[in-house]
Amino acid sequence: CSFFIILDQPHRSKIFVGINTHTTAAIVAQDISINMSAEEVANAFVNHFYQTFDSGVDALAGLYNPQSMLTFEGQQVQGSENIIGKLKAVGTVKHTVKTIDIQPSSSQNSIVIFVTGAIQIGGDNPLHFCEFFHLCSTGPGQYYVHNDVFRLNYGL
């Protein structure tokens, strides 16, 4: 499974199409000219990731695969099912993204993303967080999260 993105070229607006769980979706994505920059892919991913996390963590499962790894506050878990279990254990959350830093990775087929922001857990006061994602391509315009590292930032 992976997510895929289609860019509406005439209007330059990003359209998140959905989680690719069917061959048909992959064919649709391949038939459309996908010429997005790392920044466009990353921004679309970040918006989708946090909106989905805040409304229903289970829907994030398709972004991860069996090789995906999450390090959450120093604890490592691997595989989509384990990652979703860990994220669900956090409870009800609301994210506010403040910054997004994006770089193409060593391969043309991957992107690294560093996000900072605030997270409210269960309605408590917001805490600062940072999160790192390594997205890897599975085909034209299709990516999965290979690495995800999350940390809360406490006052120093």
Side-chain angles (χ1 to χ4, degrees):
C1 293
S2 59
F3 76 97
F4 60 98
I5 302 168
I6 296 174
L7 181 65
D8 180 7
Q9 293 293 340
H11 301 98
R12 299 297 297 164
S13 60
K14 291 176 278 303
I15 302 170
F16 178 79
V17 176
I19 303 300
N20 175 17
T21 55
H22 300 30
T23 306
T24 306
I27 292 168
V28 169
Q30 289 172 3
D31 286 345
I32 296 173
S33 175
I34 299 174
N35 224 357
M36 295 178 70
S37 69
E39 290 79 16
E40 291 170 318
V41 171
N43 283 312
F45 167 78
V46 168
N47 289 334
H48 172 72
F49 183 87
Y50 291 112
Q51 286 175 2
T52 304
F53 194 148
D54 293 354
S55 61
V57 174
D58 287 320
L60 293 175
L63 298 179
Y64 299 95
N65 70 24
Q67 291 77 38
S68 297
M69 181 162 290
L70 166 69
T71 301
F72 189 91
E73 288 289 299
Q75 183 182 16
Q76 290 186 342
V77 293
Q78 187 169 10
S80 183
E81 187 175 314
N82 294 329
I83 290 170
I84 297 305
K86 182 65 177 171
L87 297 178
K88 285 172 79 171
V90 175
T92 303
V93 298
K94 177 168 180 9
H95 293 86
T96 303
V97 172
K98 296 206 174 159
T99 66
I100 304 170
D101 295 305
I102 303 152
Q103 294 181 353
S105 190
S106 60
S107 160
Q108 290 181 334
N109 298 324
S110 61
I111 301 168
V112 294
I113 307 166
F114 184 74
V115 178
T116 64
I119 182 173
Q120 265 186 295
I121 302 171
D124 290 340
N125 289 331
L127 300 167
H128 295 284
F129 78 91
C130 59
E131 191 159 14
F132 168 88
F133 297 98
H134 180 207
L135 303 183
C136 294
S137 178
T138 58
Q142 300 177 46
Y143 296 85
Y144 76 95
V145 179
H146 187 71
N147 300 97
D148 182 351
V149 180
F150 177 91
R151 278 279 181 187
L152 291 170
N153 299 343
Y154 299 103
L156 300 174

